[in-house]
Amino acid sequence: MIDLHCDTLSRVVESNHTLWQNPFHFDITRALDAGMTAQFFALFKHDQDDNVVLRAILHQIATFQSQFNEAMGARVVEKPEDLSMALAHGQLACILHLEGADALGKEAALWPLFHQLGVRSLGLTWNYNNAFAGGVLDKEPAGLSTIGRNLLARMESLGSILDLAHVAESSYYQALDCFSGLAMVSHANAYALCGHPRNLNDRQILALSEHGGIIGVNLVPDFVEAENPDLDRLVDHIDYIASLVGIRHVALGSDFDGADKLVLAGVEEYKQLEQRLLKRGFSESECQAVMHDNALDFLKRVFSA
Ligand SMILES: [Zn+2]
């Protein structure tokens, strides 16, 4: 499996546990046992004060970097050779993602420094407006700002991944229009099946697919269904997005450790989704596409020499 979003890193920083072993939804040991290939790790801190955010994010980066060494079953992926080495050695490929550009304050020019620190993916906002773009839960969601466009230009020249999860609808289309790099929505489902504001409406799904992007389906119950969220309903979301734009745009974006309870207990249960897809009539190759192949193709495009 390849998963486009987890919040485990910020949990680890606030605990005495590690990314390798912890009582949370995700750890690398269980991920390897479950047969996972790659995982995105979100850096995340929400605070009114950008300086507090920046300090917390730097702390999370330092913690992340301290967890890896050459001998281990996982590898930080920053360049094409890292991905090919991880794949060749059966190591979990670990990609660092910044969820919300608030740590940059108003300075798009800081993004290359985050790139130097190994961050390869950026979500413009979390739920609220910042200097760069509008957040999906803001009372008055802003559009993409001039410095937001500047940031996208810098991301494009560095080959950064643009993540449009949490971005308000107007900023979402504006960002896709002016960014020609690789874009994804790391953790969201279909609004047509579950009217959560973080889910994507048909127009958003179509716009992302036209851009060649992928959507990681989210295991948070509120995003699956208001009444009876379960794994079968999650399969409905996969089915819906696949019917709308093709199965090659569907991937996984668990949001492990981003909410208390998910429709799976943790990474060790990910195989249950595979079984459920097969039971629902998805072919072996369609199932592999969702669980692994689509996200791997995407990563190979990001990390191409
Ligand atoms: Zn999130």
Side-chain angles (χ1 to χ4, degrees):
M1 284 85 74
I2 295 179
D3 186 280
L4 304 178
H5 191 89
C6 78
D7 279 314
T8 311
L9 181 56
S10 48
R11 289 235 172 161
V12 161
V13 168
E14 290 159 9
S15 75
N16 294 320
H17 301 287
T18 67
L19 286 179
W20 290 84
Q21 202 159 28
N22 63 55
F24 310 139
H25 293 144
F26 174 95
D27 67 37
I28 296 173
T29 308
R30 279 177 288 150
L32 289 167
D33 282 348
M36 282 198 72
T37 304
Q39 176 70 51
F40 281 72
F41 291 88
L43 302 158
F44 174 71
K45 174 72 179 176
H46 180 61
D47 195 282
Q48 297 298 329
D49 183 345
D50 292 341
N51 291 323
V52 171
V53 175
L54 175 61
R55 194 162 293 272
I57 296 298
L58 291 175
H59 188 194
Q60 290 173 20
I61 293 174
T63 302
F64 181 80
Q65 289 177 348
S66 74
Q67 308 265 309
F68 297 89
N69 72 45
E70 290 290 311
M72 289 176 163
R75 179 181 291 265
V76 181
V77 172
E78 297 178 359
K79 51 190 188 301
E81 307 86 272
D82 299 326
L83 181 64
S84 46
M85 289 289 272
L87 293 171
H89 294 100
Q91 293 173 307
L92 183 72
C94 301
I95 301 118
L96 209 46
H97 163 72
L98 180 57
E99 185 170 27
D102 306 60
L104 279 62
K106 296 181 172 59
E107 308 291 336
L110 292 182
W111 179 245
L113 287 176
F114 283 84
H115 181 87
Q116 281 181 31
L117 291 172
V119 189
R120 291 294 174 269
S121 167
L122 175 65
L124 294 178
T125 68
W126 188 55
N127 285 333
Y128 305 103
N129 295 347
N130 61 22
F132 304 95
V136 69
L137 296 187
D138 206 284
K139 282 196 198 83
E140 292 177 46
L144 188 67
S145 67
T146 304
I147 58 170
R149 288 172 200 277
N150 185 317
L151 176 58
L152 288 172
R154 289 173 189 273
M155 289 171 66
E156 199 173 308
S157 66
L158 290 165
S160 310
I161 298 168
L162 170 63
D163 184 359
L164 291 171
H166 291 281
V167 170
E169 198 174 350
S170 57
S171 292
Y172 182 103
Y173 302 125
Q174 289 163 349
L176 281 177
D177 274 348
C178 71
F179 183 76
S180 39
L182 285 153
M184 66 176 180
V185 173
S186 62
H187 54 308
N189 295 331
Y191 190 87
L193 301 190
C194 174
H196 190 288
R198 274 270 291 105
N199 283 340
L200 302 177
N201 64 37
D202 291 1
R203 189 180 157 207
Q204 288 177 297
I205 296 170
L206 285 161
L208 185 73
S209 73
E210 281 161 19
H211 201 88
I214 55 174
I215 299 165
V217 292
N218 189 317
L219 303 177
V220 177
D222 289 351
F223 292 54
V224 175
E225 191 177 68
E227 299 287 304
N228 291 306
D230 63 11
L231 213 46
D232 274 314
R233 192 56 176 162
L234 183 70
V235 173
D236 290 341
H237 284 271
I238 294 171
D239 198 21
Y240 183 86
I241 299 168
S243 306
L244 189 65
V245 292
I247 200 151
R248 70 181 184 283
H249 297 286
V250 191
L252 308 175
S254 62
D255 213 356
F256 284 136
D257 298 308
D260 289 338
K261 210 167 168 285
L262 305 178
V263 297
L264 288 175
V267 64
E268 65 280 5
E269 289 190 355
Y270 237 156
K271 283 269 184 231
Q272 289 184 18
L273 177 58
E274 195 173 328
Q275 288 150 11
R276 207 62 63 99
L277 284 166
L278 292 170
K279 214 169 137 193
R280 284 280 291 272
F282 286 82
S283 71
E284 192 76 49
S285 70
E286 288 170 332
C287 183
Q288 276 314 304
V290 173
M291 302 294 293
H292 181 267
D293 296 352
N294 295 335
L296 185 64
D297 287 347
F298 186 81
L299 285 179
K300 284 181 171 169
R301 283 154 63 201
V302 173
F303 298 103
S304 58

